[in-house]
Amino acid sequence: MGTSGAKRDVASGRLPARQYEENFADLHPPLGRHPAMVEADRCYFCHDAPCVEACPTDIDIPMFIRQISTGNPMGAAETILKQNIMGGMCARVCPTETLCEEVCVRETAEGKPVKIGMLQRHATDVLFADGKQIFTRAPASGKRVAVVGAGPAGLSCAHRLAVLGHSVTVFDAREKPGGLNEYGIAAYKSLEDFAQHEAAYILSLGGIEVVTGKRLGSDLSLERLRGDYDAVFLGVGLGTVRDLGLEGEDLEGVIDAVDYISDLRQAGDLSSLPVGREVVVIGGGMTAIDIAVQSKLLGAEEVTLVYRRGQEQMNASGFEQDLAQTSGVKITHFAQPARLIGEDGAVRGIEFERTRLGGHGRLEGTGETFTLAADVVFKAIGQIFVPGGMANGGDGVRLEDGRIAVDGEGRTSLGDVWAGGDCVAGGQDLTVAAVQDGKAAAISMDRALRAQSPTRSRDTGG
Amino acid sequence: MTDLRSDFVGIKSPNPFWLASAPPTDKEYNVVRAFKAGWGGVVWKTLGEDPPIVNVNGPRYGAIHGPDRRMLGFNNIELITDRPLDLNLREIKKVKREWPDRALVVSLMVPCEEGAWKRILPLVEDTGADGIELNFGCPHGMSERGMGAAVGQVPEYVGMVARWCKQNTRMPVIVKLTPNITDVRNPARAAKEAGADAVSLINTINSIAGIDLDTMAPDPATDGKGTHGGYCGPAVKPIALSMISEIARDPETQGLPISGIGGISNWRDAAEFMALGSGTVQVCTAAMAYGFRIVEDMTEGLKNWMGEKGYTRLDDFVGKAVPSVTDWQYLNLNYIVKARIDQDLCIKCGRCHIACEDTSHQAITQTKDGQRYFEVDDTECVGCNLCVSVCPVEGCMTLERLTEGADPRTGKPIDPDYANWTTHPNNPNRVAAE
Ligand SMILES: Cc1cc2nc3c(=O)[nH]c(=O)nc-3n(C[C@H](O)[C@H](O)[C@H](O)COP(=O)(O)OP(=O)(O)OC[C@H]3O[C@@H](n4cnc5c(N)ncnc54)[C@H](O)[C@@H]3O)c2cc1C
Ligand SMILES: Cc1cc2nc3c(=O)[nH]c(=O)nc-3n(C[C@H](O)[C@H](O)[C@H](O)COP(=O)(O)O)c2cc1C
Ligand code: SF4
């Protein structure tokens, strides 16, 4: 079973130096001008197009594709960014196969949607290469807003607020802005430091100050922010990955997948990362797929992704599942972790119990077990919201299902506090959804701020 | 057995596909390659008097592209052959001797003086060529020197030169017409009147392919300046078809053999030209875009289609569509159609809706029971065919004829009888209905 005999094998530099660059090249290399023109011509310029409806940020997709086809990619980028300031990142990370491209009429017609994501990338690449500022700010409103979290939700909110004339301070606990764009997205989706380029473009508008290394809950308090600013937006994302609830989770080699990916994204040299020879990933979502694929690309010999339910129930899209399989990841369905097997304080294997769907689709164990050898076990069974500093008792925001409760405009239970992105209840946990939340909240905040009496001032407490 | 052999004013070829007088037929090398590929005949690149003309050394061609760079229209400022007359004649003679079963017609353009024609005709006759084509069409360059389109635009000149040729050679004379004229029937009538054996059309249409917005000059340009060229390729096909139909149904020119030219790219295009009365067809742009091999599909495709339709010889369908071309005033105003959407084929792009809503008759609704669903409202539909034209799915949208009851739009009962504008009450010049 591998739990005895051979020694635990975790090593860095498993691959020849050149191999890393090849393995972590662009997942979808950008379309050149000609392929982009050909692809753009496939768009029918639908009326009231289904793809627009399917895009959480309502990008006018037929219009931007038409702009590409007329040789106006800058105009196309403007159409995109007007609705979605992270249109560049979204073009790289959106699961388009379950969003805009799923409902493309050419998917209906011939099973081949227009490559909307790739065209969006083409247009936004042209703009970012040029660097042209396409937004202007409305006259200063005199209002100050604090945004907590510089992820997609926070930056989107801050940008829209700044466009509308408000002055914004963004606080983030980490060193760099971008949130999971910088620390979470798979490395082969966002190359060449794109998250930082995009953040810089967003901030180049002016009116947004970013303060990094400040954590709400320890360095900042919600109460204080509410006192110092006219309104507050919370876009703090999620905290740690859920525990397996098994004995031995503190064994060496039982790792939070999101933490590891963050190290990977920040590693200057991928060959310096420790990689197990036999890797087991537990989970069925995007994070599970990403850690499995990237482990494989880093040189792990054997990567098994184990999910407790069936293929159809996996959160990861069909495309992501295929990507895992073609990358050499073995996917095992209907098995849940039962016991971690350790040796000298480090993990050596993991025992699973086979599961099945019982009555009413409820998952039940079958009692049958099997064991997989593992040098590393990645936990990727979903992240949880850590409400520290935000929901402490009666002063904080109300929670719902463990995340922040908001209404349709992103308002929390506190009149001057909005929230959006992964940290709110009922979301999709996608970059694009976070961008939309931030934008919608900014519009709602703007309305509220303008309705406020102009005499309200921080000093009098309001 | 389907027989593609063609006999056009006595000029025989194994199939009706000829290469038009142009670069593909400029010299022995090209023509032999074309014959090897299977072309039934060629019209040799237009010969002129020595010394040969010179071409510009800058670009000769410009193009209109679809988004995938498919060439939709083609523009050229090339003149007639720039090779010595004698060299061309020697090659023509050799090729005709080596390829006796293929049609070899020689295109000619010399100044509008009888002497010039009298000098060149015997030289061409001596090659054994099957016939001559008079280039009255070239719209650029040569027309500035009183030749080409400058002749074709004046019916009297057309007749005059055609007559000289008929008097000075026994070879069949084909007059190639220019489309750069208000009414193409006039030069065709003049050609017939002068005894020409046939007309061929169209030559190219005056055109500027585009303007370069950086240099503010035509694109392409020669040293910063451009001139109009001649337009051809798929974009000109509808213009050519219309002109051919005019000649085919004109009482004065009816029966005059026609060699159809203009945007023919495949067997289907060719069949359409022939249905309008073309005995042979000539191709230039398609060959220049794809090479000579396209003739394989042309011959096979035409043969298969003829087989399906039960036509065994070209004559079985040449001209068959001519009687269906008429004047607007004779169209049946009692023919009522409504647009129909095949819901199984509909991909719900909504283009029919927005086209009709914004620019036609507000006759297509876009929702049903709160769902995206497109449906024709017969009380508004005028049957204009716009929606059918913009629908991206072939066969999804059609027009259906109403034969019973009343037209839901006008409330008027459907009249099964034919009635046209000439008798319509709204026509101030109506004639009493029979
Ligand atoms: C591994 C992984 C891969 C993913 N891949 C994709 C993908 O391919 N496509 C896709 O659409 N989505 C993907 N997602 C989901 C996507 O990244 C998130 O939905 C999105 O980033 C949410 O944005 P956010 O702004 O709400 O939160 P985050 O991106 O998490 O940003 C939150 C920010 O708040 C800061 N912060 C947190 N707590 C505090 C605090 N107390 N004080 C101050 N600052 C704080 C954090 O440092 C961070 O910068 C992936 C997620 C993961 C984990
Ligand atoms: C580059 C070029 C040169 C041409 N030269 C001649 C010519 O010398 N004599 C002539 O009668 N027509 C000439 N034509 C016109 C063609 O024979 C033909 O009438 C026209 O191109 C329309 O056919 P198409 O659409 O198949 O190209 C030329 C056309 C092109 C594109
Ligand atoms: S045929 Fe014309 S009027 Fe009728 S539905 Fe179509 S576009 Fe509208």
Side-chain angles (χ1 to χ4, degrees):
Chain A
M1 262 322 45
T3 49
S4 56
K7 274 180 62 189
R8 178 164 180 259
D9 183 353
V10 177
S12 54
R14 286 188 175 275
L15 303 172
R18 273 178 308 112
Q19 193 70 41
Y20 290 96
E21 202 174 314
E22 199 173 299
N23 285 4
F24 286 86
D26 222 323
L27 181 59
H28 301 289
L31 293 179
R33 200 184 115 87
H34 174 70
M37 293 300 259
V38 173
E39 191 59 25
D41 186 45
R42 295 186 64 233
C43 172
Y44 286 139
F45 201 68
C46 293
H47 168 67
D48 197 5
C51 51
V52 179
E53 183 102 346
C55 171
T57 57
D58 291 326
I59 293 174
D60 190 343
I61 296 163
M63 184 57 76
F64 93 68
I65 294 180
R66 188 174 174 82
Q67 288 169 308
I68 292 176
S69 74
T70 65
N72 180 15
M74 286 292 259
E78 209 169 322
T79 301
I80 295 162
L81 295 202
K82 247 177 13 200
Q83 287 299 324
N84 179 339
I85 188 61
M86 289 195 169
M89 184 58 82
C90 287
R92 291 160 167 80
V93 306
C94 272
T96 50
E97 63 280 4
T98 59
L99 296 169
C100 50
E101 291 177 20
E102 181 177 46
V103 298
C104 175
V105 300
R106 291 200 85 136
E107 170 68 26
T108 319
E110 66 220 54
K112 266 200 204 135
V114 174
K115 292 178 184 153
I116 299 170
M118 297 299 291
L119 288 170
Q120 181 169 323
R121 163 115 189 238
H122 177 76
T124 50
D125 277 356
V126 170
L127 175 77
F128 285 117
D130 180 279
K132 178 181 161 199
Q133 180 54 259
I134 57 171
F135 293 92
T136 51
R137 297 188 61 202
S141 67
K143 301 290 182 188
R144 298 171 69 245
V145 180
V147 168
V148 187
L155 286 181
S156 160
C157 181
H159 185 264
R160 184 53 64 108
L161 286 167
V163 166
L164 292 169
H166 309 296
S167 137
V168 188
T169 309
V170 182
F171 299 97
D172 199 292
R174 305 196 77 145
E175 291 309 308
K176 297 186 199 169
L180 291 171
N181 287 359
E182 174 62 35
Y183 295 100
I185 294 297
Y188 43 77
K189 291 186 186 170
S190 171
L191 276 76
E192 291 166 355
D193 216 11
F194 183 74
Q196 289 314 302
H197 291 308
E198 185 171 60
Y201 182 83
I202 292 171
L203 299 177
S204 69
L205 172 69
I208 306 170
E209 185 195 358
V210 177
V211 183
T212 53
K214 291 270 184 262
R215 173 174 294 278
L216 182 64
S218 47
D219 310 311
L220 307 160
S221 80
L222 182 56
E223 207 174 311
R224 184 67 191 278
L225 290 177
R226 293 177 65 199
D228 288 351
Y229 293 86
D230 297 297
V232 178
F233 176 81
L234 301 174
V236 294
L238 298 174
T240 55
V241 158
R242 197 171 273 135
D243 279 337
L244 299 173
L246 299 178
E247 217 170 288
E249 279 200 51
D250 52 356
L251 286 170
E252 191 186 333
V254 180
I255 305 174
D256 174 333
V258 176
D259 284 348
Y260 186 88
I261 290 172
S262 167
D263 290 347
L264 189 163
R265 286 294 308 276
Q266 299 307 309
D269 174 8
L270 291 175
S271 71
S272 67
L273 291 168
V275 181
R277 194 171 65 83
E278 290 173 302
V279 173
V280 173
V281 176
I282 301 165
M286 196 109 78
T287 306
I289 298 278
D290 281 3
I291 189 64
V293 171
Q294 291 178 110
S295 293
K296 195 75 198 165
L297 298 178
L298 285 169
E301 253 168 50
E302 204 60 49
V303 179
T304 313
L305 186 156
V306 185
Y307 178 53
R308 60 191 177 140
R309 295 174 189 271
Q311 188 192 341
E312 299 86 64
Q313 288 87 24
M314 283 180 92
N315 253 337
S317 70
F319 171 79
E320 303 273 346
Q321 296 181 36
D322 288 351
L323 176 67
Q325 310 237 1
T326 53
S327 305
V329 172
K330 186 165 169 253
I331 300 184
T332 301
H333 296 111
F334 289 112
Q336 62 193 7
R339 190 166 64 91
L340 287 159
I341 303 162
E343 216 176 80
D344 304 330
V347 73
R348 295 297 289 118
I350 174 166
E351 185 182 291
F352 290 91
E353 179 186 18
R354 291 203 188 277
T355 58
R356 66 172 166 234
L357 289 180
H360 303 290
R362 276 180 59 127
L363 196 73
E364 51 190 43
T366 61
E368 191 192 332
T369 62
F370 64 94
T371 303
L372 294 178
D375 301 308
V376 169
V377 170
F378 281 117
K379 300 186 281 182
I381 55 171
Q383 284 174 276
I384 42 176
F385 174 58
V386 183
M390 285 162 260
N392 34 0
D395 290 349
V397 293
R398 194 172 66 77
L399 301 187
E400 180 185 321
D401 300 332
R403 302 198 193 180
I404 302 173
V406 288
D407 68 7
E409 297 181 9
R411 282 182 295 226
T412 68
S413 56
L414 301 175
D416 56 351
V417 180
W418 280 253
D422 286 358
C423 66
V424 304
Q428 288 173 283
D429 291 355
L430 292 175
T431 307
V432 64
V435 174
Q436 174 62 17
D437 283 358
K439 176 180 89 182
I443 293 167
S444 170
M445 292 165 102
D446 175 66
R447 208 178 313 118
L449 290 169
R450 291 187 190 281
Q452 270 177 16
S453 114
T455 55
R456 183 194 166 176
S457 115
R458 291 177 304 285
D459 304 324
T460 56
Chain B
M1 256 318 281
T2 312
D3 186 356
L4 288 190
R5 277 178 307 168
S6 154
D7 182 345
F8 184 76
V9 298
I11 304 172
K12 298 196 170 55
S13 57
N15 63 54
F17 300 106
W18 294 3
L19 284 167
S21 173
T25 63
D26 190 35
K27 51 187 180 306
E28 176 187 354
Y29 180 81
N30 305 78
V31 172
V32 167
R33 283 177 70 86
F35 285 164
K36 281 186 181 153
W39 289 88
V42 300
V43 182
W44 202 275
K45 172 79 184 169
T46 306
L47 309 186
E49 287 188 320
D50 278 338
I53 57 87
V54 295
N55 273 302
V56 292
N57 295 300
R60 300 177 195 187
Y61 308 134
I64 301 297
H65 291 115
D68 58 357
R69 295 274 301 174
R70 196 176 281 268
M71 208 158 74
L72 307 178
F74 191 49
N75 174 71
N76 87 88
I77 57 163
E78 178 175 285
L79 303 183
I80 61 174
T81 183
D82 52 12
R83 306 188 318 145
L85 179 61
D86 181 52
L87 176 61
N88 275 307
L89 292 170
R90 268 186 287 135
E91 288 185 4
I92 291 169
K93 190 170 190 168
K94 176 158 177 264
V95 172
K96 183 64 210 178
R97 209 172 44 230
E98 287 166 7
W99 296 85
D101 70 322
R102 306 302 167 96
L104 203 167
V105 174
V106 177
S107 172
L108 296 175
M109 184 196 288
V110 293
C112 248
E113 302 148 13
E114 192 170 9
W117 292 92
K118 273 186 164 163
R119 277 194 297 279
I120 201 163
L121 287 169
L123 304 176
V124 176
E125 227 173 73
D126 179 59
T127 63
D130 298 302
I132 55 169
E133 187 181 75
L134 312 186
N135 178 350
F136 296 157
C138 187
H140 46 265
M142 302 312 293
S143 55
E144 295 171 16
R145 304 170 203 179
M147 292 181 267
V151 178
Q153 284 164 341
V154 183
E156 292 74 26
Y157 294 172
V158 171
M160 178 177 74
V161 179
R163 197 166 288 114
W164 291 338
C165 291
K166 279 310 286 181
Q167 284 163 358
N168 290 293
T169 178
R170 54 174 171 72
M171 293 181 288
V173 174
I174 304 168
V175 173
K176 185 166 179 180
L177 301 176
T178 175
N180 300 299
I181 187 162
T182 317
D183 188 344
V184 77
R185 288 175 301 185
N186 292 327
R189 286 169 185 159
K192 186 177 182 204
E193 162 103 23
D197 298 273
V199 289
S200 57
L201 69 161
I202 58 175
N203 208 308
T204 54
I205 306 174
N206 283 0
S207 59
I208 286 179
I211 297 296
D212 182 324
L213 292 176
D214 295 324
T215 62
M216 283 295 169
D219 184 17
T222 296
D223 194 20
K225 291 266 197 302
T227 186
H228 81 261
Y231 200 45
C232 48
V236 309
K237 176 184 149 192
I239 298 165
L241 285 177
S242 166
M243 290 191 160
I244 286 167
S245 78
E246 291 293 295
I247 294 171
R249 70 192 189 91
D250 178 25
E252 289 186 42
T253 50
Q254 231 167 31
L256 177 65
I258 299 171
S259 185
I261 320 172
I264 296 168
S265 307
N266 53 49
W267 65 267
R268 186 177 287 276
D269 296 333
E272 292 175 34
F273 275 75
M274 296 174 83
L276 277 182
S278 305
T280 61
V281 292
Q282 301 185 27
V283 175
C284 168
T285 303
M288 290 182 76
Y290 303 108
F292 291 144
R293 250 162 45 82
I294 56 169
V295 75
E296 288 172 30
D297 175 59
M298 290 179 150
T299 49
E300 287 312 302
L302 187 66
K303 220 186 240 174
N304 291 340
W305 170 78
M306 285 173 64
E308 267 169 44
K309 295 285 171 192
Y311 301 131
T312 53
R313 300 168 321 126
L314 301 177
D315 283 346
D316 291 350
F317 73 96
V318 166
K320 242 189 160 194
V322 177
S324 310
V325 184
T326 184
D327 294 348
W328 192 97
Q329 60 180 334
Y330 300 123
L331 297 176
N332 183 3
L333 294 175
N334 285 337
Y335 180 78
I336 312 287
V337 292
K338 300 290 174 188
R340 293 289 172 255
I341 303 175
D342 181 335
Q343 295 296 343
D344 293 335
L345 291 179
C346 177
I347 58 172
K348 301 195 167 40
C349 67
R351 284 180 56 183
C352 56
H353 163 79
I354 200 62
C356 189
E357 190 70 14
D358 278 355
T359 72
S360 199
H361 291 79
Q362 299 74 48
I364 298 183
T365 52
Q366 62 168 328
T367 33
K368 187 174 179 177
D369 306 330
Q371 299 291 312
R372 190 175 172 82
Y373 189 91
F374 298 92
E375 208 168 26
V376 177
D377 176 357
D378 284 357
T379 66
E380 297 295 343
C381 176
V382 301
C384 71
N385 210 34
L386 174 63
C387 52
V388 182
S389 307
V390 303
C391 176
V393 179
E394 201 181 333
C396 173
M397 293 208 70
T398 45
L399 293 181
E400 182 186 51
R401 180 176 191 177
L402 301 190
T403 50
E404 285 171 359
D407 177 350
R409 182 173 69 88
T410 58
K412 291 208 186 110
I414 308 277
D415 186 342
D417 293 335
Y418 164 89
N420 64 41
W421 175 243
T422 60
T423 56
H424 196 278
N426 288 19
N427 181 354
N429 303 315
R430 69 182 170 279
V431 295
E434 300 284 298

